[in-house]
Amino acid sequence: MTGVKAVTAEVTRWKRMGLGALGVTGMAAAALASLVTAYWHDICRVLRGG
């Protein structure tokens, strides 16, 4: 029974780590999207060469 508890604890830890990584990725994507939205006019001007 001790082995089963150890495996269950490890799988739970993996799930927590996965959700944590997903949350960090989501926050980074939101920050990048905010920057692009805020500077969209400038980005388009630079890309068009003007």
Side-chain angles (χ1 to χ4, degrees):
M1 198 63 173
T2 305
V4 173
K5 287 183 181 181
V7 171
T8 303
E10 189 164 348
V11 170
T12 302
R13 185 176 62 86
W14 291 343
K15 286 183 180 179
R16 285 184 186 154
M17 285 173 45
L19 290 175
L22 183 62
V24 169
T25 304
M27 286 188 283
L32 183 62
S34 295
L35 282 173
V36 169
T37 302
Y39 295 104
W40 183 250
H41 180 70
D42 296 331
I43 292 170
C44 286
R45 189 183 55 195
V46 168
L47 291 176
R48 290 182 182 159

